[in-house]
Amino acid sequence: MLTLSTRSQIVIGIMLVALMILTRSHHFASTHNMADASWAIFFLAGVYLPSTWPLLGFFALSWWLDFAATNWGGVSDFCLTPAYIFLLPAYASLWLTGRWYTQRYQFAPSTLMPLSISVIVGLILCGLFSSGGFYFFSGRITETNLNEFGDQLIKYFPLYIETFVFYLGIAVVIHTLFALISQQFSPSNTTE
């Protein structure tokens, strides 16, 4: 099981907030935009931040960033429809699968199986809630059917997976480095 000090949780929370502000798609128009890290942020918040307050805070931050972009940033409000509410269960599914993984975490290669399971389940649920919610309930698609939804999912879902895995990979490398360093300097590793 993964347990972190309050100080570590605060530092991770601040880093995740900064990452969301910097990457939330279209908010800082330039040719150097990084892909939106929101999906990975909600999963990592579930892994590292045990309270539900960060989940609510990241919901609010993502909404505020989208609101600011459409009202003051000149970004299209195409995605701001009644289906926007489906982002709540989409993001919560990533956070919950992150929480599930935390209960099974250990700093050993055997952690890769529960990590993989939590990532796969979280991504599938998030993709179905966010894409399905938009496809069926946004009002932007006049005639909906499961076959066309499946085609849209096959077309766009791999891009979300790729971005998620990119950010998760960075987090895994950073986590591994910190875990190795802390093991090196733990009291049980000192020689007398």
Side-chain angles (χ1 to χ4, degrees), residues 75-97:
V75 173
S76 168
D77 64 352
F78 183 79
C79 292
L80 295 182
T81 68
Y84 191 85
I85 195 76
F86 281 90
L87 289 180
L88 295 174
Y91 291 155
S93 64
L94 289 168
W95 184 83
L96 287 169
T97 55

Side-chain angles (χ1 to χ4, degrees), residues 81-123:
T81 68
Y84 191 85
I85 195 76
F86 281 90
L87 289 180
L88 295 174
Y91 291 155
S93 64
L94 289 168
W95 184 83
L96 287 169
T97 55
R99 293 301 316 139
W100 179 86
Y101 168 68
T102 296
Q103 302 303 314
R104 286 141 189 88
Y105 169 82
Q106 52 184 309
F107 189 64
S110 61
T111 200
L112 293 176
M113 182 56 77
L115 176 61
S116 299
I117 291 168
S118 64
V119 165
I120 291 167
V121 170
L123 284 173

Side-chain angles (χ1 to χ4, degrees), residues 123-191:
L123 284 173
I124 289 170
L125 289 173
C126 183
L128 289 174
F129 278 120
S130 64
S131 296
F134 183 80
Y135 183 82
F136 290 105
F137 300 104
S138 69
R140 303 284 191 213
I141 293 116
T142 53
E143 293 187 33
T144 61
N145 66 61
L146 287 176
N147 287 336
E148 186 180 333
F149 172 64
D151 291 341
Q152 293 295 314
L153 204 56
I154 290 168
K155 181 178 180 180
Y156 295 109
F157 191 56
L159 300 172
Y160 288 104
I161 294 171
E162 180 181 310
T163 302
F164 179 91
V165 169
F166 171 76
Y167 288 112
L168 182 63
I170 292 170
V172 166
V173 168
I174 292 169
H175 178 94
T176 302
L177 289 173
F178 275 97
L180 289 172
I181 289 168
S182 73
Q183 277 185 351
Q184 191 74 329
F185 293 105
S186 71
S188 62
N189 284 341
T190 58
T191 57

